[in-house]
Amino acid sequence: MTSDVQNSPATAARDIELAIGGMTCASCAMRVERKLNKLDGVSATVNYATEKAKVTFPADLDPATLVAQVEAAGYTATVPQPKAVEPEAVEEDPTAPLRQRLIGSLVLSVPVIALAMVPALQFTYWQWISLTLAAPVIVWAAWPFHKAAWTNLRHGAATMDTLVSLGTLAAFAWSLYALLFGSAGVPGMTHPFELTIQRLSGDGNIYLEVAAGVTTFILAGRYFEARSKRRAGAALRALLELGAKDVAVLRDGREERIPVDQLAVGETFLVRPGEKIATDGVITEGSSAVDASMLTGESVPVEVGPGDPVTGATVNSGGRLIVRATRVGADTQLAQMAKLVEEAQTGKAAVQRLADRISAVFVPIVIALATGTLAFWLGAGGTVSAAFTAAVAVLIIACPCALGLATPTALLVGTGRGAQLGILIKGPEVLESTRRVDTIVLDKTGTVTTGKMALTEVHTADDVDTTEVLRLAGALENASEHPIAQAIATGARDKVGDLPAVEGFTNVEGLGVQGIVDGKAVLVGRTALLAEWSQHLSSDLAAAKAAAEQQGKTAVAVGWDGQARAVLVVADTVKPTSAEAIRQLRGLGLTPVLLTGDNEAVAKAVAAEVGIDQVIAEVLPADKVDVVKRLQGEGKVVAMVGDGVNDAAALAQADLGLAMGTGTDVAIEASDLTLVRGDLRVAADAIRLSRRTLRTIKGNLFWAFAYNIAALPLAAAGLLNPMIAGAAMAFSSVFVVSNSLRLRAFRSTIG
C-alpha cells in the first residue's frame, strides 16, 4: 500500500525549467527562489547567470501556478520551448539594448558634464541645453534602474539600482524645479568654480551632470558584466556541436549519407579511420583503436573489436568499423553530459554583488538621513525651500558616481593584465569565489600530465644496444598511425635522429606491426605477436613489462632475428612544472585533490611525483560532478581544474572552474577562468590575480562611499554647493580609476 501512495499522481514529483526575465542582480534571483519555495511541495533553485529556475513540484500542481508566482514577485517566467534552430542561425544579442543605452548616454552626458564643470563653457542659456541633453539620459538610458528600483520597492528591498534611481531622480527633479521655479533658469546663470562651504539658495543650483554621469558610468559597468554573463550558455552549444553532423548508414547493402539526427536505434553505420563515431553503439564488424580522450580524459586509445561498445563523438584512430546504433539523440552519453553541465550551471548560485550588499544597508540610512534633515530644518523654523534643498542635497551626494566605476574598472584592468599572462576571467562573480576557495580538484590527464603518450623507458635483453632497438622499432612504428606507435617513433627520433626505411610493412590487427628494417625481420607489439614467431621474453624483460603494466603504463615488446630483444614503455608523462604548481597552490591555502578516470596505481604514482596526498581514481565522467558535490557537502569551497569534455559538468558545478586553454572548447566555456597556457602554475597565478582584483574592488567600493559620506554632513547642513558635489564625484572617480590601475603591476611567478 505504501508503494501505491508514493507513486500516486498526487504525490509524484515533476521537474521543469523556467526562463526568468527581469532579474538585475543576484538578490533578484534569491527573491524569485524564495517566492517559488513558498508553494507547498515546491523546491526551486534560481541562477542569475543563466537566468533559469530549476523547479521540482508535485504532479498535481499546474505549471501555470509557478509562472504566476514568479510574476507576483515582479518578474517574468516562461517554459522554454525546444527550437529547431540551424547551427548557422544568427543568435540575437541580448546585450544590444544595453549597448544602445550606453552609447546614447555617453554621447549626451559628456557635454552635460563639461558644461557643468568648466565655467568658461557656460554660455547664455547653457543650463537649458544641459536639461535637453540630460533628460533622455535620466529617463530613457536609466530606465532599467528605475524599473528595478520599483520592483525592489514593492518587495521592501534595496539594491544598487535603488540607490542609482533615487539619486539620479532626486538630482533631476531638483534641477527641474530650480530651472522652472527658481533662479537657476535665468539668463547668464553660472556655476562658479569655487569649493567654498557656504549656505546657498537651493533653487539656484542644478545637478544634471551628477545624474547623467552616474547613469553613464553604471551603464558601462552593467554592459561589461552582461557581456561576460552571456557566455554562460555557450558551454552547452559547444558540447552539442562536438558530435558528428552526418553519418554513413548501411541500408539494403548500400551506403547512404544522412544527417545524424535521422539515425535510428538498431541501424548499422560505417566509421572510417579518422572519423567521429556518430552515436553510441556496438561494433558488429572490424577492429581499431578509438581515441576517447575528449570524453573520458584517458590518454591511451582503447582497442575495440566486434561486440565492444563505443561512444558517440569519440574518434576512430585506426581501422574501418561497422557499428550498430544502441542510443541516439537525448539518450547518448554526449547528450547526458550536456544535461549534467546544464544542471550544474543552473544549480550554481551567482554571488551577490558587493555593491548590492552595501546598498541594502546604505540606502535605508540615506533615506532616513534625508527625511531627518527635512524634519530638522522644518522644525528649526527654516523655510520650506531651504529644508527641501538640504534634504535633496543629501540624496544627491549619497549617489556615488564612483560606485559605477568601482567594479568595472578593477575588472577591466585585472582582466587585461590576466590576458597578458594567459588568464581569462569571465565576470565579477568569479572573483568572489576565489577568496573563499579552500580545496582544488585537479584532473590528471592533460592538466597535471601532458595528456600525450611518450616513450618513457627502454628495457633491453643482455648485449642488445639501446640505440639499435630504438632505430629498428622506431622505424617500424613510424609507418603506423596508431597513437602508441607514433609515441615510440617520436621518442626514437628524438634520441637517435633520422630513422631508416621500412620494407614489407604489415599491420597485424589487434597485435602490432611487422616489417623489414636494415635487412632484419622486426616485430613490435603485444607478446602474443612475438610468441607466434617463437620469440619469448626473458625473465628480466617479462618482469620489466609486468612492473610497467602494474603502474598503468603500456609495455610494447620488440623482437628480431628469432629473439625477443626489448620492452618499450609508453606512458602519459607528468608536466615538468606540475610539482612546483602544487607547491604554489598549497601556499595559497588550498588543499589539492587528484581526480581521474585512470586506474588507482597510475593516479597514485602521478600524485606522489607532484606532491598530492589525496587521490580519487577510477571515476566515470558523470561521477566527477558527484565528487565535487560531495566535497561541497562536506563544507569545502571547491575549485576544479580540467581540460576535457568529461570535466565540463564538474567545472560548472565547482565554486570556481578553471579550464586549461589547451583543452576542449566545452571545458573552456563551462569554466569561470581559462588558463590559455597548458602550465598548471598559471592556475596559482589566476587565483592570486583574482584575489588581488577582488581586494581592489573592495577598496574602490570603500572609497566610492567614503568620499560621498564625508560630504553628507555638509549636505544636511545646507552648505553643499554644486562644485563640492561635483568635486566629491570627480575625486572619488579619479581615486577609483588610479587604484584599479595598480593592478597592472601584478607579476606572474612564471619566469
Side-chain angles (χ1 to χ4, degrees):
M1 288 297 289
T2 308
S3 170
D4 291 341
V5 171
Q6 286 175 340
N7 294 320
S8 67
T11 56
R14 292 162 57 196
D15 289 329
I16 196 171
E17 190 173 76
L18 300 175
I20 308 295
M23 295 191 296
T24 60
C25 60
S27 57
C28 295
M30 290 189 286
R31 198 172 299 132
V32 175
E33 194 170 295
R34 281 198 300 270
K35 195 79 173 174
L36 284 169
N37 285 328
K38 282 181 181 176
L39 294 171
D40 287 340
V42 172
S43 172
T45 56
V46 180
N47 186 298
Y48 168 58
T50 57
E51 295 183 329
K52 288 180 181 176
K54 188 181 176 188
V55 188
T56 303
F57 64 103
D60 58 347
L61 184 69
D62 187 348
T65 307
L66 301 174
V67 172
Q69 187 79 345
V70 174
E71 289 173 346
Y75 305 91
T76 62
T78 54
V79 180
Q81 299 298 320
K83 298 177 189 173
V85 181
E86 291 296 317
E88 293 78 15
V90 178
E91 185 188 358
E92 188 179 341
D93 183 0
T95 64
L98 196 54
R99 184 171 62 245
Q100 289 165 1
R101 288 181 196 274
L102 173 59
I103 293 169
S105 179
L106 190 63
V107 170
L108 295 171
S109 297
V110 169
V112 173
I113 295 169
L115 284 170
M117 301 298 287
V118 183
L121 300 177
Q122 292 170 5
F123 53 86
T124 308
Y125 298 120
W126 70 272
Q127 66 271 45
W128 295 100
I129 298 295
S130 286
L131 176 65
T132 306
L133 294 172
V137 176
I138 296 155
V139 177
W140 168 73
W143 176 248
F145 306 130
H146 304 322
K147 186 180 176 185
W150 173 245
T151 303
N152 291 330
L153 181 65
R154 285 168 52 204
H155 297 93
T159 66
M160 186 171 157
D161 292 313
T162 313
L163 187 57
V164 173
S165 179
L166 192 65
T168 54
L169 289 176
F172 182 61
W174 186 257
S175 300
L176 206 56
Y177 168 78
L179 285 167
L180 296 175
F181 305 106
S183 59
V186 299
M189 187 280 280
T190 59
H191 275 176
F193 193 85
E194 53 186 31
L195 300 179
T196 55
I197 297 176
Q198 56 183 314
R199 187 163 290 130
L200 299 168
S201 170
D203 59 11
N205 303 322
I206 60 173
Y207 299 95
L208 294 169
E209 80 284 357
V210 176
V214 166
T215 300
T216 303
F217 282 135
I218 293 182
L219 273 174
R222 291 290 169 87
Y223 173 66
F224 291 123
E225 190 175 335
R227 264 201 336 183
S228 64
K229 193 182 82 167
R230 187 187 169 210
R231 298 176 191 148
L236 300 177
R237 291 194 293 274
L239 189 51
L240 295 171
E241 283 170 10
L242 281 176
K245 300 295 183 288
D246 55 20
V247 57
V249 68
L250 299 175
R251 291 175 176 168
D252 301 325
R254 290 185 300 104
E255 183 183 324
E256 184 182 336
R257 276 269 166 200
I258 61 168
V260 74
D261 56 4
Q262 293 179 15
L263 187 65
V265 172
E267 286 192 297
T268 57
F269 59 93
L270 177 67
V271 189
R272 292 184 173 83
E275 284 187 338
K276 285 181 182 175
I277 295 171
T279 192
D280 298 359
V282 174
I283 296 173
T284 59
E285 191 180 314
S287 60
S288 178
V290 171
D291 180 3
S293 58
M294 187 175 62
L295 284 177
T296 64
E298 292 295 335
S299 51
V300 183
V302 181
E303 299 285 348
V304 293
D308 289 333
V310 286
T311 307
T314 56
V315 180
N316 176 18
S317 300
R320 178 179 180 273
L321 297 173
I322 293 177
V323 182
R324 186 182 76 255
T326 55
R327 287 185 293 191
V328 296
D331 297 327
T332 63
Q333 190 173 332
L334 185 67
Q336 293 300 316
M337 280 188 173
K339 190 178 178 189
L340 281 172
V341 173
E342 187 165 25
E343 285 176 354
Q345 285 186 331
T346 305
K348 185 176 177 180
V351 177
Q352 189 180 6
R353 276 195 296 259
L354 277 169
D356 283 331
R357 296 212 296 271
I358 297 169
S359 299
V361 177
F362 187 68
V363 172
I365 291 173
V366 168
I367 293 172
L369 186 58
T371 307
T373 300
L374 179 68
F376 171 79
W377 277 90
L378 291 174
T383 64
V384 174
S385 175
F388 270 100
T389 298
V392 172
V394 168
L395 293 178
I396 292 168
I397 197 63
C399 185
C401 186
L403 187 63
L405 284 171
T407 298
T409 52
L411 192 64
L412 283 172
V413 179
T415 52
R417 182 64 186 134
Q420 290 174 342
L421 300 173
I423 303 160
L424 305 181
I425 302 171
K426 285 197 177 172
E429 63 279 355
V430 170
L431 306 174
E432 188 85 344
S433 302
T434 62
R435 177 179 61 86
R436 302 174 296 116
V437 165
D438 55 28
T439 303
I440 186 159
V441 176
L442 304 161
D443 170 53
K444 180 185 75 70
T445 310
T447 302
V448 177
T449 66
T450 60
K452 294 177 181 175
M453 304 300 288
L455 179 63
T456 57
E457 300 168 45
V458 180
H459 300 277
T460 60
D462 295 338
D463 302 326
V464 175
D465 181 34
T466 302
T467 303
E468 181 75 352
V469 170
L470 290 173
R471 281 182 76 256
L472 299 178
L476 193 58
E477 292 285 54
N478 195 39
S480 170
E481 294 177 354
H482 197 287
I484 292 175
Q486 286 301 304
I488 292 172
T490 301
R493 203 179 295 109
D494 290 343
K495 290 181 172 63
V496 302
D498 292 339
L499 301 172
V502 179
E503 299 172 27
F505 174 83
T506 306
N507 180 19
V508 184
E509 212 166 79
L511 292 178
V513 292
Q514 61 189 51
I516 309 297
V517 184
D518 286 351
K520 296 181 172 68
V522 184
L523 303 170
V524 182
R526 299 180 187 272
T527 50
L529 176 64
L530 274 69
E532 286 183 5
W533 294 82
S534 299
Q535 297 179 16
H536 302 285
L537 297 181
S538 65
S539 56
D540 289 345
L541 290 179
K545 177 177 180 291
E549 288 174 343
Q550 193 173 0
Q551 293 174 358
K553 299 176 181 178
T554 302
V556 178
V558 182
W560 67 81
D561 291 348
Q563 185 181 337
R565 308 279 179 165
V567 167
L568 306 178
V569 179
V570 175
D572 182 11
T573 53
V574 172
K575 291 177 182 176
T577 58
S578 291
E580 186 189 337
I582 299 303
R583 285 195 296 275
Q584 290 181 11
L585 291 168
R586 284 189 187 278
L588 290 168
L590 306 178
T591 303
V593 178
L594 189 68
L595 179 66
T596 179
D598 224 332
N599 71 59
E600 197 158 348
V602 176
K604 285 187 172 174
V606 170
E609 191 173 338
V610 298
I612 297 176
D613 301 324
Q614 195 173 340
V615 177
I616 304 172
E618 297 175 20
V619 178
L620 294 171
D623 296 337
K624 287 192 174 186
V625 188
D626 296 330
V627 170
V628 172
K629 283 181 181 174
R630 177 169 58 78
L631 290 169
Q632 289 170 329
E634 292 169 4
K636 294 180 171 63
V637 182
V638 181
M640 165 87 189
V641 188
D643 73 327
V645 175
N646 61 316
D647 302 317
L651 286 168
Q653 174 65 38
D655 298 283
L656 180 70
L658 300 95
M660 307 298 277
T662 49
T664 61
D665 290 345
V666 179
I668 291 168
E669 292 292 356
S671 67
D672 303 307
L673 291 165
T674 301
L675 316 177
V676 175
R677 294 155 68 176
D679 191 331
L680 190 56
R681 290 178 297 177
V682 182
D685 279 344
I687 291 172
R688 282 177 49 244
L689 175 61
S690 297
R691 287 178 176 177
R692 178 87 62 86
T693 307
L694 181 66
R695 282 201 302 273
T696 302
I697 289 172
K698 286 181 173 178
N700 286 350
L701 288 171
F702 171 79
W703 287 108
F705 280 98
Y707 277 106
N708 297 71
I709 288 170
L712 277 175
L714 294 177
L719 300 171
L720 183 68
N721 70 42
M723 290 310 298
I724 293 278
M729 183 179 86
F731 283 136
S732 58
S733 299
V734 168
F735 182 89
V736 160
V737 172
S738 57
N739 189 42
S740 298
L741 289 173
R742 291 168 56 230
L743 283 167
R744 292 192 301 185
F746 179 85
R747 291 284 176 267
S748 169
T749 55
I750 304 171

